[in-house]
Amino acid sequence: MIDLYGLPSDFPGQGATGDSFQRASAIEAGMRASVNQANFIPNVVVHEFEGLLFSRIEAFGGWFDGADVVDALATIRKDFQSPEHINDGVATAPSKRIRKICRGYDKPVHGSLISLDIGLDVLRRECYRFDVWIRELEELAEI
């Protein structure tokens, strides 16, 4: 799992055209071809991991005080088709939005703990590309 944002121009699959989702799929295909191993299943998160955390914003309430935190995050979430769509610039990446609202947000610590509180079922239901990746992992595990 890697973020689409900031990949070097010579990264496999870079240069594809289309929206962020189409470019992420092309990069995943390029990565698969480059590694060429059946058990390598890449996942390019269209904007960044923190976007997935908008799947159930109430989970932030257990880590950051104030109802205004959940309300502010809800305001952001309602403006996008899915959590995976949240972004529209360098200054508005999901983690930057979260840090602006949640003072002291630590990406590795809080991101992991909040994702655990959200749960895999909710993440999968809310985030289509993430769900596709998990399904591929599950299929590989069945082999």
Side-chain angles (χ1 to χ4, degrees):
M1 176 186 280
I2 60 170
D3 295 346
L4 176 61
Y5 177 76
L7 290 176
S9 60
D10 62 346
F11 203 83
Q14 277 285 41
T17 58
D19 66 21
S20 298
F21 290 85
Q22 293 165 327
R23 290 188 357 258
S25 293
I27 290 169
E28 289 168 349
M31 292 170 68
R32 285 177 201 254
S34 179
V35 174
N36 196 25
Q37 294 292 318
N39 64 347
F40 178 71
I41 303 173
N43 176 251
V44 176
V45 179
V46 175
H47 297 300
E48 64 179 345
F49 170 78
E50 275 77 13
L52 303 177
L53 301 180
F54 282 84
S55 294
R56 192 171 72 82
I57 52 160
E58 295 81 10
F60 283 86
W63 297 98
F64 298 95
D65 292 331
D68 56 331
V69 166
V70 172
D71 291 344
L73 293 170
T75 298
I76 293 167
R77 172 63 185 93
K78 73 176 178 55
D79 290 335
F80 293 90
Q81 180 179 340
S82 80
E84 293 176 304
H85 287 84
I86 296 176
N87 196 26
D88 48 19
V90 174
T92 55
S95 65
K96 291 188 177 151
R97 292 171 187 259
I98 291 169
R99 282 185 168 147
K100 186 175 180 181
I101 296 165
C102 302
R103 301 286 179 221
Y105 176 78
D106 181 277
K107 287 177 78 142
V109 173
H110 291 113
S112 300
L113 294 170
I114 291 168
S115 67
L116 288 170
D117 286 348
I118 293 169
L120 188 57
D121 290 341
V122 173
L123 290 169
R124 292 180 73 170
R125 184 178 62 241
E126 295 294 316
C127 303
Y128 173 78
R129 284 188 47 77
F130 179 75
D131 180 53
V132 168
W133 180 56
I134 297 296
R135 278 188 272 139
E136 287 185 69
L137 294 173
E138 289 170 339
E139 289 171 13
L140 180 64
E142 292 175 3
I143 295 176

